[in-house]
Amino acid sequence: MEKLTLKVDGMRCGMCEAHLNDAVRNAFRVKKVSSSHQRGEMIVIAKEAPTEAEIARVIAGTGYTLLSYKAEPFEEKSFWQRIFGK
C-alpha cells in the first residue's frame, strides 16, 4: 500500500473537493481518497499508486493543477492496533 500526499491548486470549496475525488476514483483503483480545499491537499491510499504523471493528467483534466507529489509506504492498521497503538 502507498499513501500519496498531493498539493493541488485551484480547489475553492467542498464541491471542488468532491469533483476532484470522483475524478481520481474513476481513473484509478484507490482504497481511499480525500481532499481539503482549505489545505490545498489531497490524500490518496492505493495498493498500486498512480505515477506523478498519471495523476497530474487526471487532475489537470478537471481544471486543477498538481503542485507536488509525495509517495510513502502505508501500513493499514487493524481495529485493535488503532485502539491499543501496537
Side-chain angles (χ1 to χ4, degrees), residues 6-67:
L6 311 169
K7 292 292 183 183
V8 179
D9 184 45
M11 289 189 290
R12 302 285 181 247
C13 64
M15 288 303 294
C16 295
E17 295 168 1
H19 181 66
L20 197 52
N21 291 347
D22 288 344
V24 169
R25 279 189 199 101
N26 291 331
F28 308 108
R29 296 184 69 158
V30 298
K31 181 166 178 87
K32 181 179 178 182
V33 59
S34 63
S35 298
S36 168
H37 71 278
Q38 294 171 330
R39 288 190 307 270
E41 185 176 84
M42 173 181 251
I43 305 293
V44 178
I45 308 292
K47 187 169 186 169
E48 293 180 25
T51 66
E52 184 172 359
E54 291 171 332
I55 204 145
R57 186 177 65 249
V58 169
I59 290 172
T62 61
Y64 306 101
T65 305
L66 178 65
L67 300 176

